Amino acid sequence: MIKIAPSILSADFANLERDIRRISTADYVHVDVMDGLFVPNITIGIPVVAAIRPATDLPLDVHLMIDRPVRYVEQFCRAGADIVTVHVEADSQENTLRALDIIRGQGKRAGVVLKPATPAQAALPFLDRCGMVLVMTVEPGFGGQSFMADMMPKLAQLRAWIDERGLDCELEVDGGIDPVTARTAVENGAAVLVVKGGPGGEEQCVAGARPLEEVPDIEPGEVYLYGPGENTVYLKKDGSVEIRGSRVSVTGELSVDGQLTVNGRPYAPCDC
C-alpha cells in the first residue's frame, strides 16, 4: 500500500486549518520544520505543530531540518507529532541514536533522513531503530525543485536492506513528485510519497500514487495517480492513462518525455 503525505509547506498559512482539512483523504500530513541553520530557510516550529494537531485525525509526519535535533525531538512529540524524522547529517551518530530513542520512548515512530549527497550506507547504524527512512530527491530547504532521478539507486538499496532485515520501516521520498516521478519512486521501493498540499497541490492537479487492489477494472498491483479535485488519474502498467470523475471519463497516454495527453492535447491542471 503506497501512502500519500501532502506537505503543508505549500499551504496557505493564513488558512492552514482549512488546507489541512482539504487533504483529509491522505495518509499523513507532512510537516517541514526548518531552522535557518541546517537549511537556508525558516518555516515553523513546535507551537504550529501543537496548533494543527486538533485540526486533523491524520498522523503528523514531522520532518526536522534542524541542527542538533536531539534538543527538540521530545517537545515535537509532546506537541502532537506521530512520526519524527531527523537528518543523519545534523548531528553525531551518538546524538542521532539518542534522538531516535527519545522519540521511540515517547511512543512515536522515529526515522532518519538522507540528503542527496549522503550515501545509503549512512542509514545503516540507525535502521533497527527506524519506523521510517526518508530519502530526499531534492536539496532540502525550498520547494519547487526538480526530482533527482539519480537518487533511485540509493532508494532501491535502502529498500533491499529494509526487506532483508524484515524491518517494520516505511521508505519515504520527498521532492519533485509528479505523475512521472511518482511511478519511478514506487518502482524503486518507495512506500510513502511526499506531495504538494494545499493550493499548490490543487494547481499541480496530480497528487500521488497508490496501488489499485480495490479499484474496478484495474489490475491488482497497478499504480494510479490522483488529484485532490473531483477526478482520478490512473497510470496503468502499459503506460496508458485513464481519467475518471464526475465531470470527465477519458483515456490518454504518456509520451516518452512524460507529457500526459488527452484527446491529442496536453492534459492541463484546469482539466481537473
Side-chain angles (χ1 to χ4, degrees), residues 171-222:
L171 189 55
E172 182 176 48
V173 292
D174 182 358
I177 296 297
D178 63 23
V180 176
T181 61
R183 187 179 190 182
T184 299
V186 170
E187 288 174 346
N188 283 277
V192 183
L193 302 177
V194 178
V195 299
K196 295 176 71 174
E202 292 170 1
E203 292 167 6
Q204 187 186 17
C205 183
V206 177
R210 296 172 186 259
L212 291 179
E213 281 82 356
E214 300 179 358
V215 178
D217 305 322
I218 304 293
E219 292 183 16
E222 292 193 348

Side-chain angles (χ1 to χ4, degrees), residues 39 41 51 56 59 69 78 83 86-87 94 102 109 117 126 138 147-148 153-154 157 165-166 172 191 235:
V39 292
N41 198 4
T56 179
R78 292 184 181 277
I83 305 166
V86 300
H87 274 263
E94 179 183 3
I102 291 171
R109 290 175 58 197
F126 314 108
V138 297
F147 180 81
M148 300 172 69
K154 180 196 298 187
Q157 179 62 78
R165 298 185 182 198
E172 182 176 48
L235 177 59

Side-chain angles (χ1 to χ4, degrees), residues 107-163:
K108 312 294 185 174
R109 290 175 58 197
V112 294
V113 191
L114 304 182
K115 294 170 70 173
T118 303
Q121 288 80 359
L124 286 175
F126 314 108
L127 275 185
D128 291 340
R129 286 176 166 88
C130 287
M132 178 175 285
V133 174
L134 169 55
V135 174
M136 296 300 300
T137 46
V138 297
E139 289 294 339
F142 294 95
Q145 300 177 62
S146 297
F147 180 81
M148 300 172 69
D150 55 348
M151 295 298 104
M152 293 305 95
K154 180 196 298 187
L155 191 67
Q157 179 62 78
L158 287 163
R159 167 53 58 202
W161 286 334
I162 290 169
D163 292 346

Side-chain angles (χ1 to χ4, degrees), residues 88 90-100 122 124-126 129:
V88 300
D91 208 337
S92 66
Q93 179 175 318
E94 179 183 3
N95 281 345
T96 301
L97 288 168
R98 188 156 66 93
L100 297 177
L124 286 175
F126 314 108
R129 286 176 166 88

